[in-house]
């Protein structure tokens, strides 16, 4: 019969009219994100040995690392990612031998000003080499920088006084003191 | 009591003016003006509501919720859209014919307003009870063709020109089956007065005695309004918006609202001609007549929207072929069969 | 005497129906097309040139962006070419994972092609219903790889990650639901008389012309030529699956469109068989490949059956860790070669139908 397909089409739309809607009302409801989601980056500053494998693996030269030699060990002073060029391909995370660089599930990376886009994961002064054979200033434990609340700036701004290099402080494992950073 | 709400208001207004000592001529004129203003407000409010209803119906048929952020359940969406459109610039092309370009969106609301003046909304609620009511309605409906053509020609744009050509071809060819199909109804009633057509359906609605005519009328009327499946005039995939391409801001809004006004007109006409107008089915007269009219009109408007969101659009040559080669012969056959049927009825003596 | 003349209209780069930034300069006589000249290049990003200054692994994210709708198939083609050059053998589990994610990408691409074709012809509802399914597939791909669209899942020698917990069951459930959804598209779009009137007998392509112009994919199979790379020259583990190759009869728009719908059903079959078979197989997901890849001097060409046609990668290596030249044989670009003649004599509305049935994606056309 001519017109059978037309009536079937109407029946399908009528069924859709009455069935459950697929909409997820963002931002009140959100889809749960998987663990492997390619979101914001986080760097475990203790595990990072500044080997530059991630910077070499990146197709777009997003990662800029600088380190200094302190007492025959490499001390990471700067780890900045130019997110505006990043493809979020994951080559850097895969290249890291020590598992220091990781993704988080935070997708909110928008900024209001162009200068605030680069993700400054570490930016700190190298400690002065000590004449005394004391422990290095490795108290500046890098906490996990990827807290989701950072909407306006690209990173956390928890000001805690970093332990100065002069003190012979013992290493505090697990203290979540964020290192000093310059605000932007 | 609810039944005669509007007639009572009109009656009390007339008494008020009478007691104030106004001469009868001015009395009539004022009442007519009030009725026309009320119809204008009705059209505009309905058009605004229909924009929202279309978006919600579209959303629900597409497995999503329509607008639901602005206002409770999204009801204020159209108001905000109109506010946004008012604030926009109306760009005028270089080389566009300014008079035609700017006159088209202004004039596009005139035919719907004039048509609605003659439509009976309820028992005794007609602004202009014309003896040739049906003829008047369809004569005015043909006027809108010229206005779309003006808009398309004045834009100085090849896409608009194509769209305008399509509009003229489509609206002219589909008027013929539309009018031929209702000749059967006129033959059954014997008059073109809209109120008499409604009274003639007291025992049986004409959709039962003239089903083919209803189908032809509905299809041709949807084509007249440029709605999918016949919306190749503004077929977004090909000519980007047809004659409305160059319009921005309020010009665009006018065309948009006029499209909804014409949908209301064809639903109203279909209700009057085939679905018994304001008559209550099965004698359920506790619902006032004007509410019945409203409900029937909205059921048909929903069906028009349902068509839009289900069907793709057909091509120009297929459209013309369908109109001239299928609908016109069918409507002529319908007249023939109705005539024979009436003769046999009378011969049997019913 | 009445004299008519043709006029030029620009079916410009900004148009709702050209699937991207694509321009067709039309010469029209009334509404009939006299000549249709495609102009591409608005999306050119220089991927082939960029690949010359990146290492072999760094090129993989760039190949995602070629046909971004079915990203895994592009990755696969590229790594196949590199593996051919270096003579690497891929472990079995990795092959199965490539097949599963590749067929899922193909399914997603065809679903989108169907929906967008419905949108072009005018039935907007079909478009949104198709995207609902595509959302579910992209959610699954997100769980597997971390990205929804530009997957970068394949690596030279295997794939990047193994499947997470419970992923295969979710995929199984989606594949159970898919035939119902495909029936819905059939009812709403394919069976619609208006849609059939728009697409049947429009834009006919004969099989000989198709072979002459080296068209491939559903465009070729819609004309009746039985050439699917997965059956004609099976690569990877495709010879272990049982599936059919749908063929068209008339070579018109409807046949090309219907080929895609049928291919969707076959993809569902392949994925279901692959899920069963992969549960038995355990093993590494990546072969032992040196960290710094230095293929021997030489060149290699490998093709895969992508959703748009045959996707080929030609790699020339000069012994260093960066390729000397990467050339991509892009099916959308080659399929567009016949657009001009195919459109002559049809109306503008048919141009939209024909372009939709060839199913181009601009990332591929412009590279």
């Amino acid at each position: 019969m001519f017109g059978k397909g037309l009536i079937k089409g109407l029946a399908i739309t009528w069924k859709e009219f009455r069935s459950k809607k697929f909409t997820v009302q963002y931002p009140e409801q959100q889809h749960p994100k998987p663990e492997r989601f390619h979101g914001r980056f986080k760097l475990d500053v203790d595990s990072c040995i500044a080997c530059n494998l991630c910077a070499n693996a990146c197709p777009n030269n997003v990662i800029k690392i600088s380190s200094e030699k302190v007492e025959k060990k490499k001390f990471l002073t700067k780890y900045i990612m130019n997110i505006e060029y990043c493809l979020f391909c994951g080559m850097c995370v895969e290249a890291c031998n020590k598992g220091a660089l990781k993704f988080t599930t935070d997708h909110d990376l928008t900024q209001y000003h162009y200068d605030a886009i680069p993700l400054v994961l570490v930016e700190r002064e190298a400690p002065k080499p000590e004449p005394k054979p004391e422990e290095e200033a490795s108290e500046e434990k890098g906490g996990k920088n990827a807290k989701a609340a950072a909407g306006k700036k690209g990173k956390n701004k928890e000001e805690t006084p970093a332990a100065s290099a002069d003190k012979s402080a013992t290493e505090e494992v697990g203290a979540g003191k964020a290192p000093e950073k310059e605000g932007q | 009591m609810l039944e005669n709400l509007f007639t009572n208001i009109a009656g009390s207004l007339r008494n008020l003016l009478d007691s104030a000592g106004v001469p009868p001529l001015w009395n009539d004129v004022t009442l007519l003006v009030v009725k026309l203003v009320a119809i204008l407000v009705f059209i505009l409010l309905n058009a605004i509501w229909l924009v929202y209803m279309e978006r919600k119906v579209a959303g629900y048929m597409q497995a999503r919720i329509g607008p639901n952020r602005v206002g409770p359940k999204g009801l204020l969406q159209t108001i905000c859209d109109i506010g946004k459109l008012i604030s926009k610039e109306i760009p005028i092309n270089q080389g566009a014919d300014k008079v035609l370009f700017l006159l088209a969106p202004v004039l596009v609301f005139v035919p719907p307003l004039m048509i609605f003046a003659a439509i009976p909304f309820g028992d005794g609620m007609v602004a202009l009870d014309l003896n040739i009511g049906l003829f008047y309605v369809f004569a005015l409906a043909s006027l809108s063709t010229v206005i779309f053509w003006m808009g398309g020609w004045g834009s100085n744009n090849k896409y608009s020109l194509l769209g305008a050509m399509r509009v003229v071809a489509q609206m002219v060819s589909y008027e013929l089956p539309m009018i031929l199909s209702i000749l059967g109804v006129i033959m059954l009633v014997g008059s073109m007065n809209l109120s008499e057509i409604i009274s003639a359906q007291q025992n049986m609605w004409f959709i039962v005695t003239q089903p083919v005519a209803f189908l032809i009328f509905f299809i041709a009327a949807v084509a007249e309004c440029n709605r999918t499946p016949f919306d190749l005039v503004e077929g977004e995939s090909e000519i980007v918006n047809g004659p409305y391409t160059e319009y921005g801001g309020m010009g665009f809004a006018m065309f948009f609202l006029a499209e909804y006004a014409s949908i209301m007109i064809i639903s109203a006409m279909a209700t009057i001609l085939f679905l018994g107008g304001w008559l209550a089915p099965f004698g359920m007269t506790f619902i006032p007549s004007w509410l019945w009219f409203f409900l029937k009109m909205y059921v048909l408007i929903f069906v028009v929207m349902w068509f839009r969101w289900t069907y793709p659009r057909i091509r120009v040559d297929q459209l013309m072929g369908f109109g001239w080669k299928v609908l016109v012969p069918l409507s002529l056959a319908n007249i023939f069969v109705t005539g024979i049927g009436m003769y046999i009825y009378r011969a049997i003596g019913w | 005497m009445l004299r008519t003349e043709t006029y030029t209209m620009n079916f410009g780069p900004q148009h709702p129906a050209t699937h991207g930034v694509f321009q067709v300069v039309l010469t029209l006589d009334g509404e009939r097309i006299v000549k249709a000249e495609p102009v591409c290049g608005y999306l050119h990003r220089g991927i082939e040139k960029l690949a010359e200054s990146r290492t072999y692994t760094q090129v993989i994210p760039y190949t995602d962006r070629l046909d971004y709708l079915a990203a895994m198939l592009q990755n696969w083609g590229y790594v196949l070419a590199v593996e051919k050059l270096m003579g690497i053998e891929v472990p079995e589990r990795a092959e199965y994972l490539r097949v599963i994610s590749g067929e899922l990408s193909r399914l997603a691409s065809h679903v989108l092609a169907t929906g967008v074709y419905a949108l072009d012809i005018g039935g907007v509802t079909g478009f949104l219903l198709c995207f609902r399914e595509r959302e579910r597939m992209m959610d699954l791909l997100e769980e597997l790889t971390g990205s929804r669209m530009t997957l970068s899942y394949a690596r030279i020698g295997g794939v990047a990650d193994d499947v997470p917990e419970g992923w295969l069951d979710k995929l199984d459930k989606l594949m159970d639901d898919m035939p119902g959804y495909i029936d819905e598209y059939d009812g709403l779009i394919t069976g619609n008389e208006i849609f059939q009137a728009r697409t049947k007998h429009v834009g006919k392509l004969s099989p000989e012309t198709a072979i002459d112009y080296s068209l491939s994919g559903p465009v070729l199979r819609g004309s009746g030529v039985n050439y699917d790379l997965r059956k004609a020259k099976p690569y990877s583990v495709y010879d272990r699956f049982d599936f059919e190759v749908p063929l068209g009869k008339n070579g018109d728009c409807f046949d090309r469109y219907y080929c895609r719908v049928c291919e969707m059903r076959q993809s569902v079959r392949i994925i279901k068989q692959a899920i069963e078979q992969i549960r038995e197989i355990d093993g590494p997901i990546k072969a032992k490949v040196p960290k710094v890849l230095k293929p021997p001097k030489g060149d290699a060409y490998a093709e895969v059956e992508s959703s748009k046609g045959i996707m080929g990668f030609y790699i020339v290596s000069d012994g260093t860790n960066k390729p000397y030249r990467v050339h991509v044989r892009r099916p959308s670009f080659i399929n567009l070669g016949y657009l001009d003649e195919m459109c002559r004599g049809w109306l503008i509305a048919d141009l939209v139908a024909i372009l939709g049935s060839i199913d181009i994606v601009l990332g591929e056309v412009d590279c």
Side-chain angles (χ1 to χ4, degrees), chain B residues 140-162:
Chain B
L140 282 173
S142 332
L143 274 186
S144 358
T145 317
V146 171
I147 302 179
F148 286 122
W149 166 247
M150 271 166 61
W153 176 264
S155 300
N156 192 27
N157 179 347
K158 283 178 190 154
Y159 286 123
S160 310
L161 185 64
L162 268 181

Side-chain angles (χ1 to χ4, degrees), chain B residues 8 10 49 85 143 149 167 202 216 242 249 255 298 303 321 333 349:
Chain B
N8 285 346
W49 161 255
L85 285 169
L143 274 186
W149 166 247
V167 146
Q202 263 164 2
I216 299 176
F255 278 116
Y298 264 80
V303 172

Side-chain angles (χ1 to χ4, degrees), chain B residues 58 61-64 158-159 162 166 228-229 236-240 308-318, chain C residues 7-11 15-17 31 119-123 125 128 132 192 194 197-198 347-350 352:
Chain B
M61 284 188 180
Q62 291 162 359
R64 59 183 176 95
K158 283 178 190 154
Y159 286 123
L162 268 181
R166 286 183 180 183
T228 326
E236 227 180 73
S237 319
E238 298 137 32
I239 47 181
V240 196
R308 176 176 185 181
W309 296 111
T310 312
Y311 293 140
R313 72 178 71 91
I314 73 180
R315 217 172 51 188
V316 172
D317 55 337
Q318 291 165 352
Chain C
Y7 64 100
T8 321
M9 191 168 93
N10 204 10
F11 202 70
H15 196 279
E31 278 216 21
L119 177 69
D120 282 346
I121 306 281
T125 310
L128 282 161
R132 186 185 50 184
N192 196 314
I194 303 179
R198 277 295 289 273
L347 304 176
I348 302 182
D350 300 316
V352 174

Side-chain angles (χ1 to χ4, degrees), chain B residues 121-140:
Chain B
F121 289 96
D123 201 350
M125 290 162 57
V126 196
L128 295 172
D129 200 3
L130 296 170
N131 252 339
I132 52 161
L134 205 55
F135 186 71
Y136 167 78
V137 164
F138 285 115
L140 282 173

